[in-house]
Amino acid sequence: MINLEAEHIRLIREKLKNLSHSPGCYLWKNKENEVIYVGKALKLSERVRSYLNPRQSDAKTKALQEEIYDLDWVITNNEEEALILEATLIKKYSPRFNVRLKDDKRYPYICISIDEMFPRVYTVRKVKHDGKRYFGPFSDGKASRDVLKLIQKTFPLRKTNIKLPQEKVLRPCLNFHIKRCLGPCQKNISQEEYSKVVEQVVHFLEGKKDVLEKELEVQMMLYSEKMEFEKAALIRDSLDNIRRIRQKQTVINPGGGNEDIVAYARKDDEGQIVIFEIRSGIFEDKKTFALNGLNHASAREILVSFLEQYYLQAQTYPERIILPILIKNDVEPLLNYLGKLLGKKPRLLFPTAGDKKSLLKLAEKNAEMNLTERILATKLKDQSKALKELQENLKLFKVPSIIECYDISHFQGAEPVGSGVMFVDGKPYKPGYRHYKIKAYTEINDPGMIHEVIARRLQKLLNEEESLPDLIVIDGGLTQLNRACEAAIALGLDNLPMIGLAKKREEIYIPGIKEPYSFDINSASMRLLRQLRDEAHRFGVTYHRKRRDKSTMSSMIETLPDIGEKRRKALLKFFAGKEGLENASLEDLKKVPGIGDKLAEKIYEFILNKKGEPNL
């Protein structure tokens, strides 16, 4: 219970004498001057005084009373301004007692640079008031990248970041030649025509795919009538892509409108929100957002806080928002604000039965599953703990923020390759992954190959004056480790931390010490080392198989009858990354450019004979 006689409480009461009945935001602080809670109110003085009432019964207020030490506030002109300010302050301070979006500053958006004559489409992490059009937020970077790839494949807008128009006609890039760009750099398309494609992308991102289909059909017919068949073909390809997308989507309500179905799950301080986005009656997307600060928070507070933080930074809004509990009065300022932006307030629905209720239950199940997975992943991948353990166990000077792991892959000495993976702060960092074709060895010699790979890697870092890793892990025992250390010493890097990780007994070798160390195999540090080694092994094996398959396919193609150099290259290109020529079907062979039906049948018969299979 709050101590009304405490000096800091008396000082707060003195402050309140100067506090008006105006709307605004208040900030409660603890002894360390840390902001622990941000709230908004239509009448600041009344709302703040309620926290000093010792008879407050809800658990959250009681917990907050035990820590409050000081108070600050910001007066606003109206309740809507207070709403926006509260979201800004929560994002800035991440107060412990507020329900808040986890890592909300990182949510990506898709941007269309409509402030340019020939706009581009790309992803950004921050929305600016700069005349561009933004869509989002997306729940993670992969989701935004997937949508961007789909747009770039479907709509032929420019991808290169150059200022247009230029005085001179520029040389077109590959995207122009593969029909993925209309080539405004060549000045062969008007701004008006280009703008039509931009408008199509906007419709696509707004979920208006039915409107977009009709527009594309009309446009395709117009180009056909004008005998502009190449442009008509581009429209046709875009139309086919959009129709394929729609076929994969679930129809929730034929002819229906735009809805967001919002549900949540919680466990202790953590929570998960799931949004089902329904656009034109079709299930468009599932977004999921992590929450924290849920200790002592009610269901009403969780939903209100999320809706305010999410929709204040969203760039598009649905006509209806479906929610599991009745909270309309609590979000009236938000609805009024969105109404001014939309011209019409979104409706809130709280179904108790029927299809909408079924969808809410499905969204809740998704939220529960996502939350369980996230909590489990957090427990299993406690990177901070693992890195500190490594520093202590290996007697390192600092926490190993950047760790690299190296492995060798070959098949009885054939097609040997080296692989290197990089982890930053305990997480895989894919841009730091490297493959190496072994140059100095043609027979089995894993220690020598490791020496070559480490020497090449460290020399490159020194030449480019890049930072060295904090720790290098060698997949192997003492012999491989010693050869890796020799490579480092030869370059003057005697003190670069290295260890070897043997596979069989999970033993760790340290330079200069013959006997291996054995740490707790279930500890966070050993789990991280195993993850590093397994990732390096997977990465290397994948690359080795790819090279071996390519070599095998190349050898097979060399033996094919009646095949010239041009057709050999066409076969190699067509089957690159696929299951291989030896598993090709007759239909696949017929699709290869320059391979006619008769030659395809001849190649297919040759492959079957090579495999020893009967030609049925």
Side-chain angles (χ1 to χ4, degrees):
M1 184 178 291
I2 190 169
N3 181 4
L4 295 176
E5 301 304 317
E7 181 65 22
H8 65 281
I9 296 298
R10 287 200 295 269
L11 289 174
I12 289 173
R13 288 189 177 279
E14 285 297 318
K15 278 188 175 184
L16 290 179
K17 293 178 180 179
N18 298 318
L19 188 57
S20 69
H21 291 288
S22 303
C25 292
Y26 54 94
L27 299 85
W28 285 116
K29 300 179 180 181
N30 61 11
K31 281 186 177 181
E32 288 73 38
N33 203 37
E34 172 192 10
V35 176
I36 57 175
Y37 185 74
V38 173
K40 66 178 182 303
L42 185 59
K43 296 180 180 180
L44 272 177
S45 59
E46 290 183 12
R47 183 72 187 98
V48 171
R49 281 190 174 88
S50 68
Y51 285 93
L52 303 180
N53 183 354
R55 296 179 181 177
Q56 282 284 354
S57 57
D58 66 283
K60 181 167 186 174
T61 302
K62 285 182 178 179
L64 184 59
Q65 285 176 341
E66 291 177 3
E67 293 199 39
I68 58 176
Y69 193 81
D70 199 1
L71 171 70
D72 200 357
W73 62 80
V74 181
I75 293 173
T76 60
N77 290 316
N78 50 57
E79 195 173 12
E80 289 175 23
E81 286 185 9
L83 170 75
I84 299 168
L85 179 60
E86 180 193 37
T88 303
L89 293 173
I90 290 173
K91 185 183 292 187
K92 179 179 179 179
Y93 293 110
S94 295
R96 286 188 295 110
F97 283 89
N98 280 96
V99 175
R100 56 199 181 277
L101 285 170
K102 210 168 186 178
D103 300 326
D104 63 325
K105 293 178 183 177
R106 298 184 180 183
Y107 292 134
Y109 295 79
I110 284 180
C111 174
I112 305 179
S113 57
I114 57 175
D115 56 332
E116 298 182 276
M117 285 183 66
F118 297 96
R120 290 186 305 124
V121 184
Y122 51 94
T123 58
V124 295
R125 291 280 176 173
K126 188 175 182 180
V127 174
K128 300 178 181 178
H129 299 289
D130 53 4
K132 295 178 174 61
R133 186 78 187 272
Y134 296 89
F135 294 87
F138 291 84
S139 54
D140 58 62
K142 184 180 183 302
S144 63
R145 289 193 298 271
D146 288 345
V147 173
L148 181 62
K149 286 178 184 177
L150 191 58
I151 290 171
Q152 291 179 338
K153 180 181 178 182
T154 305
F155 302 96
L157 295 182
R158 70 184 182 99
K159 284 81 176 172
T160 308
N161 184 15
I162 55 174
K163 190 174 181 179
L164 292 180
Q166 298 272 341
E167 290 184 10
K168 295 180 180 180
V169 174
L170 302 178
R171 184 178 179 181
C173 64
L174 178 63
N175 288 308
F176 175 77
H177 295 294
I178 62 174
K179 311 299 182 186
R180 292 279 179 88
C181 178
L182 294 169
C185 59
Q186 287 202 300
K187 301 184 179 181
N188 57 1
I189 182 170
S190 68
Q191 186 181 358
E192 183 181 358
E193 282 186 286
Y194 192 92
S195 296
K196 289 179 181 177
V197 184
V198 174
E199 189 177 345
Q200 291 164 10
V201 176
V202 171
H203 286 329
F204 180 84
L205 288 169
E206 289 178 338
K208 299 176 181 177
K209 295 187 180 67
D210 49 348
V211 175
L212 180 56
E213 277 191 48
K214 291 175 184 177
E215 287 180 356
L216 289 173
E217 286 172 355
V218 171
Q219 201 171 347
M220 183 174 66
M221 293 303 297
L222 287 173
Y223 281 132
S224 297
E225 290 170 3
K226 293 178 181 179
M227 307 290 281
E228 296 181 30
F229 298 119
E230 191 170 344
K231 290 181 179 179
L234 281 174
I235 301 295
R236 178 204 61 206
D237 293 343
S238 298
L239 196 54
D240 288 344
N241 273 336
I242 291 162
R243 283 172 175 164
R244 277 195 293 271
I245 294 165
R246 297 203 78 185
Q247 285 173 1
K248 294 177 183 178
Q249 292 174 325
T250 305
V251 177
I252 302 295
N253 178 21
N258 300 334
E259 298 174 340
D260 279 357
I261 295 171
V262 182
Y264 78 99
R266 65 181 297 176
K267 186 174 182 181
D268 301 326
D269 191 55
E270 299 290 327
Q272 201 80 15
I273 291 279
V274 162
I275 300 177
F276 285 172
E277 288 189 348
I278 314 298
R279 299 297 181 261
S280 301
I282 294 175
F283 184 94
E284 187 81 19
D285 193 13
K286 183 193 95 169
K287 290 183 177 179
T288 178
F289 298 90
L291 301 176
N292 55 12
L294 271 61
N295 277 336
H296 310 301
S298 65
R300 180 198 64 79
E301 185 179 358
I302 292 169
L303 285 170
V304 171
S305 297
F306 171 76
L307 293 176
E308 290 177 348
Q309 293 178 64
Y310 175 73
Y311 285 110
L312 283 175
Q313 61 179 317
Q315 301 301 303
T316 55
Y317 311 97
E319 298 161 4
R320 294 179 292 276
I321 301 172
I322 316 298
L323 297 165
I325 61 171
L326 186 66
I327 58 169
K328 187 173 182 180
N329 293 336
D330 300 287
V331 290
E332 197 62 35
L334 173 66
L335 296 178
N336 291 333
Y337 176 75
L338 296 181
K340 290 179 180 178
L341 297 178
L342 289 170
K344 184 179 179 181
K345 287 166 52 172
R347 288 179 59 206
L348 298 187
L349 300 179
F350 312 94
T352 56
D355 294 340
K356 303 290 189 220
K357 184 64 177 178
S358 298
L359 282 170
L360 267 175
K361 287 183 177 178
L362 184 60
E364 285 172 1
K365 286 183 179 178
N366 276 266
E368 289 168 2
M369 183 177 67
N370 291 148
L371 178 60
T372 301
E373 289 175 354
R374 180 164 63 85
I375 291 173
L376 181 61
T378 301
K379 289 179 179 178
L380 294 176
K381 298 178 181 179
D382 187 352
Q383 290 93 359
S384 177
K385 182 180 178 182
L387 295 173
K388 287 179 181 178
E389 279 184 9
L390 278 178
Q391 181 189 14
E392 293 171 3
N393 294 338
L394 301 176
K395 306 295 188 290
L396 301 176
F397 288 111
K398 65 175 183 175
V399 173
S401 175
I402 300 175
I403 307 176
E404 296 183 5
C405 183
Y406 292 89
D407 188 23
I408 299 296
S409 298
H410 56 77
F411 180 70
Q412 297 179 349
E415 298 291 342
V417 297
S419 61
V421 299
M422 180 187 290
F423 277 35
V424 177
D425 294 330
K427 301 176 186 177
Y429 180 68
K430 297 298 176 70
Y433 282 29
R434 296 289 184 272
H435 282 136
Y436 297 89
K437 295 179 185 178
I438 301 299
K439 300 176 181 178
Y441 298 89
T442 55
E443 296 181 352
I444 299 174
N445 188 336
D446 285 17
M449 294 176 185
I450 276 289
H451 180 278
E452 177 185 333
V453 169
I454 297 300
R456 286 165 61 183
R457 172 59 174 162
L458 296 179
Q459 185 66 67
K460 187 175 187 298
L461 290 173
L462 291 174
N463 290 345
E464 297 180 1
E465 298 182 352
E466 292 187 12
S467 300
L468 295 168
D470 300 317
L471 175 66
I472 290 180
V473 179
I474 303 298
D475 185 1
L478 189 60
T479 307
Q480 284 94 331
L481 176 62
N482 286 339
R483 293 289 279 136
C485 289
E486 287 174 16
I489 292 168
L491 294 170
L493 301 174
D494 309 44
N495 297 320
L496 182 62
M498 282 195 199
I499 61 169
L501 181 60
K503 286 187 177 73
K504 290 184 179 179
R505 297 181 179 178
E506 304 287 5
E507 294 174 329
I508 293 175
Y509 287 88
I510 295 174
I513 303 175
K514 289 185 178 180
E515 295 299 319
Y517 284 85
S518 294
F519 301 148
D520 179 3
I521 60 171
N522 295 316
S523 65
S525 56
M526 281 303 297
R527 287 202 304 269
L528 177 58
L529 288 176
R530 284 199 298 272
Q531 186 186 0
L532 271 157
R533 183 199 56 204
D534 294 345
E535 180 69 354
H537 183 69
R538 178 203 65 77
F539 190 56
V541 167
T542 302
Y543 181 53
H544 168 66
R545 285 174 180 167
K546 185 178 179 181
R547 281 181 52 78
R548 191 176 67 188
D549 291 346
K550 185 178 180 180
S551 177
T552 303
M553 186 166 66
S554 181
S555 299
M556 177 175 280
I557 288 174
E558 290 294 330
T559 62
L560 290 174
D562 304 326
I563 297 292
E565 186 63 27
K566 189 175 180 180
R567 285 171 173 166
R568 284 194 186 100
K569 288 182 179 179
L571 285 165
L572 273 171
K573 183 178 179 181
F574 184 84
F575 287 102
K578 295 184 172 64
E579 292 184 4
L581 183 62
E582 68 274 13
N583 297 314
S585 66
L586 181 58
E587 289 71 22
D588 287 336
L589 289 166
K590 289 179 180 180
K591 293 176 183 177
V592 180
I595 305 294
D597 290 354
K598 289 185 178 180
L599 183 55
E601 290 173 3
K602 191 172 183 179
I603 295 171
Y604 186 63
E605 185 176 349
F606 177 83
I607 293 171
L608 291 179
N609 291 333
K610 199 85 170 174
K611 292 167 68 175
E613 296 179 5
N615 187 2
L616 299 177

